[in-house]
Each structure stands twice: as structure tokens, then as C-alpha cells.
Amino acid sequence: MSKLGNLGARLYRGEVGYDFIGKRKIWYGVSILITITAIVGLAVRGLNMGIEFSGGAVFTTPKTSVSTTEAQHHAESAAPGHQALVQQLGGGALRIQISGLDTKQAVPVQEEIAKDLKVPVKDVNTQLVGPSWGEQIANKAWLGLGIFMVLVVLYLAVAFEWRMAVAALVALIHDLTITVGVYALVGFEVTPGTVIGLLTILGYSLYDTVVVFDSLKEASKDITKQTRFTYSEIANRSINSTLVRSINTTVVALLPVAGLLFVGGGLLGAGMLNDISLALFVGLAAGAYSSIFIATPLVADLKNGEPQMKALAKRVAAKRASAATKEAARQEESDEAVAEDGAEEDEGAAVVGPRSQPASRNRGRGRPSGGRR
């Protein structure tokens, strides 16, 4: 068995583990700090909305030797007062995106770009996007997100309980906020691909959370009938028992996404891959984090407020205090017994010494008397 597999088996049996629940306030603080940073970045820098949402024109050129910097300069010169974004595609082609252009402005800009880049006008593909289309996409994305959240809460409330549904909802909002904040801080363009990525990570984020919740549900069945563990301790054991599984699942999911982000988007210059893969990469990592450090500890906090769980904690504490008292008394009796045995041995040694000395003296006195006879 590998070291990781051996560690997973020991975590599952409860032989080793990390106190996630006991140190939850530390991770709450880390999450709050990350979330505040994301919100500040979103408020200060804002999102770089793509042309699909703001409207404009997209010009795709054939292979050219002009750099992206030069192409951006030419595009902004051809359309004064409009912001241009240039991306290099595979094979040396360029994708020039200019926001705010209408149909009448697009044709002369197309001709000017073709002239500056020294390519035929007919080879420059032009696509016009109206802002109303982007608004429709945004509205549908918000609608889909709202429906998903409602269905998730209802499912978890029925399959588990409402506390787990609340914790899962908080974790999902946490993951979405961090992902959107990273987009604002990095400055990546928000496109329909970004929306697809955001909606996709909700399922991944929820997966690890449901796995831990299922383990917790089984472990906490008839919990009030025993006095060995509190709810927080059982929740902590559930996290540790599924920890290696969560790590393996997340790493396996992150590897291909990292390939899309760093190889496909970074080296090959595929813009759409950047939009989807960044959302997936950040969302998967945040989802794995929130399922371990946020969702389950939050469930434990909510459950510990119940009168039954408070009574259980008192019974567990009383039983452990009684066991500790008995163990201390047993240890004290054992120490006293050892001390008494040591005292008896010392007393026996002291008695044997004086008794032997007169006998030897008497034997010494008798020998000369026998010699005189």
C-alpha cells in the first residue's frame, strides 16, 4: 500500500487526524480575509466585461507578422475613443475586439485594420454583437444560478437536514465570490465562457461537500444514545475519513483544467479556454477548501446549539471526568501499593541484619570454649 493510501486508511480508522472543528475559527478568519480581498478587488477594479455583454465588433484576421501591441495601436487608431483588445490565435492569426462599435462604424474600421495589417479586406472576418444579446445572456445566467441554488437547498434539506443545506449554500456563495474576485483582480475578460465555468464549478464544489455530509450523517445516526463522542468530534472524524478522497478528487480534476489554463490559454493563446479554465481552476480549489474548512465546521456550530447536543456534550464531559477520576484513584492506589512493598522490603532488610550479628558472635565465642575442652 502506498504512503498516501496508508495515511487514508489511518485517517478513516481515526488513528490520526487534524482537528478541523477545533481550529475552525482560524479557517473562518482566513476565508473572511480572502472574501474581503475579493470583494475589494471587485469594487475597485470591477469586472472586465467582454464584448458579448457590452456590445461591439470582433475582427478576426488571417496570419500576420504584426505583434499584438502594434495591432492594438492600429485598432485604436482606426476607432478613436473605443477600447481595443487584441489576442493572438493559433497559426499567427489575431482576434481584435473593439467595444461600442455599431454596424455603420464597423465597415470603415474593418478597412482601416486590413490596410494597417497589410491583409486583404475580404480576409478580415467581422462579427457584430449588440449589448441586448449580452444582457439576455446575463439574465439567463442569473436565472439559472437562482434555480440551481433553490434546488440545492431543497435537496439537501430533504436528503440531510436544513443546517447542512444552509452550510452548503454559504460554501457555494463563498466559492462564487472568490472566483469572481479573482477575475476582477487578474483582469480576465468576462465572456459567456466565464458564465459556463461559474455554473460548472457549482456542481464540483457541491460534490465534496455532499461526500462529507453523507459520512457525517451515517456517523451521527443515534448519536444521543452514546456518550463516547460529541457531535463536533464525530464531524471532525468524518472530515478526516474523507480527506484523502477529497484531495485525490480535487487534484485529478485540477490537472486537466490546469493544462487548459496554462498550456491551452497561456501558450497557445486560446482566449475562450482562458475564460472557462480560470473559472474552473479557481472554483475547484475554492470548493475543495470550503467543503473541508467551511461547510462541515459550520454544520457543527449549528448543531451544537441544539439542546440535545448540549446535553450530549455535558454527558460526554461528565463521563470523561468520572473516568479520569477513577484512573487517578487507581493510579494512586497502585503508587501506594508500590510504596508499601518497598517499605516492607526495607524493614525486612533492617531486621535480618541485627539478628545475624549476635548469632555469629555466639558462634565465635563457643569455638574457644570447645578448644579448651
Side-chain angles (χ1 to χ4, degrees), residues 208 244-258 284 288:
D208 284 336
V244 173
R245 177 179 177 179
S246 298
I247 293 174
N248 288 337
T249 303
T250 303
V251 170
V252 170
L254 281 176
L255 287 177
V257 174
L284 286 174

Side-chain angles (χ1 to χ4, degrees), residues 24-44:
R24 63 190 181 280
K25 292 183 179 179
I26 297 176
W27 304 112
Y28 286 169
V30 172
S31 296
I32 291 173
L33 181 61
I34 296 174
T35 304
I36 291 176
T37 304
I39 294 175
V40 170
L42 184 61
V44 174

Side-chain angles (χ1 to χ4, degrees), residues 4 9 24 27 29 37 49 79 88 101 116 118 144 146 170 178 204 226 259 261 273 293 301 305 313 323 337 343 358:
L4 187 60
R24 63 190 181 280
W27 304 112
T37 304
M49 304 303 294
Q88 187 172 14
L101 288 182
D116 293 335
K118 296 181 175 59
V170 171
I178 291 177
Y204 281 104
Q226 54 85 41
L261 178 61
L273 290 180
F293 296 100
D301 282 336

